[in-house]
Amino acid sequence: MLTKESLAPLRQASLGKGAYEFVKDSLGFDRLIHALDESFAPFPPEELGLTEGEVKTLWVVGSLDAEEVRDRFGGRYESTPERGLDLDRWQGLLLVAIDMPESTKPTRTALSNLLRKMNRKAEGLPVIGVFRTSDGQELSIGAIERRTRHRHGVGDKLGKVSLLRGIRPGDSVHQGHLRILERMHLTSAQRQKMTSVGDLERHWREVFSVQILNKEFYGQLFDWYLWAKTQVRFPMPKDSGITEAENAERACIRLVTRLLFTWFLRARQIVPSDLFDKDALATLLKGFDPQGQGGVYYNAVLQNFFFACLNAPWRARSFLPDGVPSGYNSSYLDHTKLRGRELFRRPDEFLALLQNVPELNAALFECLDLRLRRGGENLPEERWDGFSAKPSKRALVPDCVLWGQEREAMVAGKADGLVRVRVKGLIPILESFLFTVEENTPDEEDAALDPELLGRVFENLLAAVNPETSDAARKTTGSFYTPREVVHFMADQA
């Protein structure tokens, strides 16, 4: 299993040597990578189509030439004029390491352009790049799709660039980076299945596949959803026309979409990190137990953050006055006021955390607890979210549903039977994946979950609630499909 110690070679002064050792030892390519120069001397950038201004130091580290493949299959996969250009004609893959110029934190497009230039220069050797920022704190790894030219072309056609960015090879390495690098690791069984250099190239590129990442994420999220809907409790009007189970399903969809949007804001460093730090929360809250059945975290932190922060003017953020409001006074069902002061050890410290968070004023974060009137007459209140100063009217989302360690659970399967699954809290799931607010395009993409995931998750979970009447269900869940363009606009305006 890959650990933060596995990244240690990438911290040494010579990134060329470090990249070689990392790929050879940590990623299991020991019999497939061969150093071109064991002294790992820097290489002239112009030899790979780059200029000195674009890079600080460049190393041509070695080739992934599938010697083991050729030993087993001989010349079977050598290129011939009759075969034309295809994945199996390559002699190998070229591993290149680059230290970037001083004070430069390259963008995704800048790294993509470097990869394209090098791949054009090295026609017969697809180039895999390892890039390091000038301060040595962050690395990126990238590969590019190379396709056959089917009509009157010479050489390969360059396709999409895929990048794993922001790797911090130290104690602060992200779980999401380790997850993807672990997929990059080549096992002996995988080596045995490879019959060409093209297989090596495909393996390397598939590691960065956003489609595979999305599938892994949704698989974990759906198991969580099947479990969570049996653990939560949300209020609903007596004449709502739905069952408690259906209400819990819809409430879980609202929770997922709200928290998932928050996670993209977190990727923009808009959300205070202490709101998702267990150690900080332990000093901030009373009775917070990540493995427990109490709902302190949801009532004290998430509900206040969703309704009285993201959906309230920042100058107006404050707790309800002392005493529980009742009847129809001005504070009753005022969702711009924070609830649950008694749940905090340090309520003023929590309030201070929220002061610099921008207001989004988005329908996604509107509280669905309503104060109804008809012709001047006060009607019974209608509660769906359970955002209340009165404990008896609060929703219950156990801390373990949001923070719990991995455990076994029995959940409802597709055929009305129970199936055993491994589940963990929603926040540990989110923490184990990389998120980006940059839009992936047909030409370049990050190996990370992007904002379009919001719509896919909402639609998929909604279909799971009621496949035949999803249109009708959508109107009553209180969840909203937020298209990519809207997500970007809201994040940019925040």
Side-chain angles (χ1 to χ4, degrees), residues 43-212:
F43 198 78
E46 59 270 16
E47 293 291 327
L48 276 176
L50 307 180
T51 66
E52 292 186 2
E54 290 178 299
V55 302
K56 179 182 178 181
T57 311
L58 181 146
W59 294 267
V60 176
V61 177
S63 64
L64 300 168
D65 61 9
E67 181 180 281
E68 188 174 285
V69 170
R70 289 202 304 275
D71 286 347
R72 288 166 54 210
F73 294 94
R76 176 178 165 189
Y77 288 93
E78 293 179 1
S79 177
T80 65
E82 291 75 21
R83 287 175 63 98
L85 298 170
D86 57 42
L87 289 174
D88 298 325
R89 70 167 179 98
W90 293 325
Q91 300 172 15
L93 311 180
L94 197 63
L95 181 65
V96 172
I98 292 177
D99 269 340
M100 300 301 294
E102 297 293 336
S103 304
T104 298
K105 185 173 181 180
T107 64
R108 185 176 73 187
T109 297
L111 294 177
S112 297
N113 288 338
L114 290 176
L115 272 172
R116 291 184 187 283
K117 287 182 178 182
M118 291 188 291
N119 274 277
R120 289 191 188 101
K121 192 71 174 179
E123 288 187 4
L125 291 167
V127 175
I128 295 167
V130 180
F131 306 89
R132 183 168 64 182
T133 55
S134 58
D135 60 8
Q137 297 301 306
E138 288 190 5
L139 295 110
S140 301
I141 302 175
I144 188 169
E145 181 183 14
R146 293 172 65 138
R147 300 190 296 265
T148 301
R149 291 186 185 273
H150 293 290
R151 292 187 179 180
H152 313 297
V154 177
D156 295 344
K157 180 179 179 181
L158 301 182
K160 179 169 56 182
V161 172
S162 298
L163 288 159
L164 180 62
R165 294 192 294 154
I167 306 167
R168 302 183 69 86
D171 291 339
S172 58
V173 61
H174 195 284
Q175 292 179 48
H177 285 123
L178 290 178
R179 164 191 291 277
I180 294 174
L181 291 172
E182 178 67 31
R183 285 213 316 257
M184 194 181 291
H185 184 273
L186 197 63
T187 66
S188 58
Q190 287 173 315
R191 283 199 296 268
Q192 288 298 315
K193 292 180 180 179
M194 290 186 174
T195 61
S196 72
V197 176
D199 288 339
L200 273 177
E201 190 271 347
R202 279 186 288 267
H203 167 78
W204 200 277
R205 254 193 316 107
E206 286 173 1
V207 164
F208 300 105
S209 170
V210 175
Q211 289 74 23
I212 293 175

Side-chain angles (χ1 to χ4, degrees), residues 382-408:
E382 187 173 288
R383 290 187 180 270
W384 296 96
D385 276 318
F387 181 44
S388 177
K390 294 183 177 180
S392 61
K393 295 186 176 182
R394 288 174 183 162
L396 172 64
V397 179
D399 290 342
C400 65
V401 168
L402 293 165
W403 285 97
Q405 297 174 348
E406 188 170 291
R407 65 192 69 196
E408 282 192 351

